PDB file of all heavy atoms in Angstrom:
ATOM      1  N   GLU Y 357      94.961 106.962 103.197  1.00  0.00           N
ATOM      2  CA  GLU Y 357      94.066 105.879 103.447  1.00  0.00           C
ATOM      3  C   GLU Y 357      93.647 105.381 102.034  1.00  0.00           C
ATOM      4  O   GLU Y 357      94.009 105.966 101.045  1.00  0.00           O
ATOM      5  CB  GLU Y 357      92.832 106.363 104.185  1.00  0.00           C
ATOM      6  CG  GLU Y 357      93.360 106.957 105.496  1.00  0.00           C
ATOM      7  CD  GLU Y 357      92.156 107.388 106.440  1.00  0.00           C
ATOM      8  OE1 GLU Y 357      91.015 107.739 105.751  1.00  0.00           O
ATOM      9  OE2 GLU Y 357      92.321 107.556 107.612  1.00  0.00           O
ATOM     10  N   VAL Y 358      92.929 104.260 101.961  1.00  0.00           N
ATOM     11  CA  VAL Y 358      92.626 103.634 100.734  1.00  0.00           C
ATOM     12  C   VAL Y 358      91.948 104.543  99.624  1.00  0.00           C
ATOM     13  O   VAL Y 358      92.383 104.615  98.494  1.00  0.00           O
ATOM     14  CB  VAL Y 358      91.978 102.218 100.831  1.00  0.00           C
ATOM     15  CG1 VAL Y 358      91.685 101.656  99.665  1.00  0.00           C
ATOM     16  CG2 VAL Y 358      92.687 101.378 101.791  1.00  0.00           C
ATOM     17  N   PRO Y 359      91.031 105.237 100.024  1.00  0.00           N
ATOM     18  CA  PRO Y 359      90.341 106.243  99.037  1.00  0.00           C
ATOM     19  C   PRO Y 359      91.448 107.131  98.517  1.00  0.00           C
ATOM     20  O   PRO Y 359      91.381 107.388  97.210  1.00  0.00           O
ATOM     21  CB  PRO Y 359      89.345 107.000  99.850  1.00  0.00           C
ATOM     22  CG  PRO Y 359      89.005 106.124 100.968  1.00  0.00           C
ATOM     23  CD  PRO Y 359      90.314 105.346 101.384  1.00  0.00           C
ATOM     24  N   GLY Y 360      92.354 107.665  99.148  1.00  0.00           N
ATOM     25  CA  GLY Y 360      93.251 108.494  98.693  1.00  0.00           C
ATOM     26  C   GLY Y 360      94.247 107.841  97.761  1.00  0.00           C
ATOM     27  O   GLY Y 360      94.670 108.410  96.845  1.00  0.00           O
ATOM     28  N   ARG Y 361      94.686 106.622  98.014  1.00  0.00           N
ATOM     29  CA  ARG Y 361      95.463 105.849  97.238  1.00  0.00           C
ATOM     30  C   ARG Y 361      94.865 105.642  95.823  1.00  0.00           C
ATOM     31  O   ARG Y 361      95.449 105.753  94.773  1.00  0.00           O
ATOM     32  CB  ARG Y 361      95.888 104.477  97.860  1.00  0.00           C
ATOM     33  CG  ARG Y 361      96.645 104.628  99.077  1.00  0.00           C
ATOM     34  CD  ARG Y 361      96.970 103.257  99.709  1.00  0.00           C
ATOM     35  NE  ARG Y 361      96.989 103.317 101.102  1.00  0.00           N
ATOM     36  CZ  ARG Y 361      96.793 102.271 101.833  1.00  0.00           C
ATOM     37  NH1 ARG Y 361      96.697 100.995 101.372  1.00  0.00           N
ATOM     38  NH2 ARG Y 361      96.673 102.365 103.160  1.00  0.00           N
ATOM     39  N   LEU Y 362      93.628 105.195  95.914  1.00  0.00           N
ATOM     40  CA  LEU Y 362      92.905 104.984  94.684  1.00  0.00           C
ATOM     41  C   LEU Y 362      92.719 106.164  93.852  1.00  0.00           C
ATOM     42  O   LEU Y 362      92.949 106.078  92.586  1.00  0.00           O
ATOM     43  CB  LEU Y 362      91.463 104.351  95.091  1.00  0.00           C
ATOM     44  CG  LEU Y 362      90.503 104.136  93.877  1.00  0.00           C
ATOM     45  CD1 LEU Y 362      91.066 103.283  92.926  1.00  0.00           C
ATOM     46  CD2 LEU Y 362      89.148 103.576  94.433  1.00  0.00           C
ATOM     47  N   ALA Y 363      92.424 107.370  94.558  1.00  0.00           N
ATOM     48  CA  ALA Y 363      92.358 108.516  93.676  1.00  0.00           C
ATOM     49  C   ALA Y 363      93.650 108.810  92.991  1.00  0.00           C
ATOM     50  O   ALA Y 363      93.652 109.193  91.841  1.00  0.00           O
ATOM     51  CB  ALA Y 363      91.839 109.700  94.581  1.00  0.00           C
ATOM     52  N   SER Y 364      94.759 108.749  93.747  1.00  0.00           N
ATOM     53  CA  SER Y 364      96.103 108.899  93.133  1.00  0.00           C
ATOM     54  C   SER Y 364      96.240 107.985  91.928  1.00  0.00           C
ATOM     55  O   SER Y 364      96.667 108.455  90.887  1.00  0.00           O
ATOM     56  CB  SER Y 364      97.199 108.656  94.182  1.00  0.00           C
ATOM     57  OG  SER Y 364      97.010 109.478  95.211  1.00  0.00           O
ATOM     58  N   TYR Y 365      95.910 106.717  92.113  1.00  0.00           N
ATOM     59  CA  TYR Y 365      96.090 105.889  91.032  1.00  0.00           C
ATOM     60  C   TYR Y 365      95.302 106.216  89.797  1.00  0.00           C
ATOM     61  O   TYR Y 365      95.745 106.181  88.653  1.00  0.00           O
ATOM     62  CB  TYR Y 365      95.784 104.399  91.456  1.00  0.00           C
ATOM     63  CG  TYR Y 365      96.018 103.423  90.406  1.00  0.00           C
ATOM     64  CD1 TYR Y 365      97.262 102.886  90.030  1.00  0.00           C
ATOM     65  CD2 TYR Y 365      94.902 102.886  89.749  1.00  0.00           C
ATOM     66  CE1 TYR Y 365      97.469 102.051  88.967  1.00  0.00           C
ATOM     67  CE2 TYR Y 365      95.075 101.940  88.694  1.00  0.00           C
ATOM     68  CZ  TYR Y 365      96.468 101.514  88.371  1.00  0.00           C
ATOM     69  OH  TYR Y 365      96.598 100.649  87.378  1.00  0.00           O
ATOM     70  N   LEU Y 366      93.936 106.581  90.088  1.00  0.00           N
ATOM     71  CA  LEU Y 366      93.148 106.988  88.894  1.00  0.00           C
ATOM     72  C   LEU Y 366      93.734 108.170  88.160  1.00  0.00           C
ATOM     73  O   LEU Y 366      93.706 108.208  86.876  1.00  0.00           O
ATOM     74  CB  LEU Y 366      91.815 107.167  89.397  1.00  0.00           C
ATOM     75  CG  LEU Y 366      90.988 106.066  89.948  1.00  0.00           C
ATOM     76  CD1 LEU Y 366      89.644 106.339  90.326  1.00  0.00           C
ATOM     77  CD2 LEU Y 366      90.917 104.974  88.713  1.00  0.00           C
ATOM     78  N   LEU Y 367      94.206 109.129  88.923  1.00  0.00           N
ATOM     79  CA  LEU Y 367      94.773 110.282  88.199  1.00  0.00           C
ATOM     80  C   LEU Y 367      96.015 110.005  87.500  1.00  0.00           C
ATOM     81  O   LEU Y 367      96.275 110.522  86.446  1.00  0.00           O
ATOM     82  CB  LEU Y 367      95.080 111.386  89.308  1.00  0.00           C
ATOM     83  CG  LEU Y 367      93.835 111.921  89.877  1.00  0.00           C
ATOM     84  CD1 LEU Y 367      94.162 112.840  91.150  1.00  0.00           C
ATOM     85  CD2 LEU Y 367      93.051 112.791  88.869  1.00  0.00           C
ATOM     86  N   TYR Y 368      96.867 109.092  88.107  1.00  0.00           N
ATOM     87  CA  TYR Y 368      98.059 108.589  87.374  1.00  0.00           C
ATOM     88  C   TYR Y 368      97.697 107.905  86.063  1.00  0.00           C
ATOM     89  O   TYR Y 368      98.239 108.216  85.042  1.00  0.00           O
ATOM     90  CB  TYR Y 368      98.805 107.622  88.318  1.00  0.00           C
ATOM     91  CG  TYR Y 368      99.728 106.678  87.646  1.00  0.00           C
ATOM     92  CD1 TYR Y 368     100.960 107.063  87.127  1.00  0.00           C
ATOM     93  CD2 TYR Y 368      99.306 105.319  87.351  1.00  0.00           C
ATOM     94  CE1 TYR Y 368     101.792 106.259  86.579  1.00  0.00           C
ATOM     95  CE2 TYR Y 368     100.109 104.513  86.701  1.00  0.00           C
ATOM     96  CZ  TYR Y 368     101.420 104.922  86.311  1.00  0.00           C
ATOM     97  OH  TYR Y 368     102.213 104.011  85.560  1.00  0.00           O
TER      98      TYR Y 368
END
Side-chain angles (χ1 to χ4, degrees):
Chain Y
E357 301 180 344
V358 182
R361 295 177 218 163
L362 175 56
S364 301
Y365 180 76
L366 292 177
L367 291 168
Y368 156 79

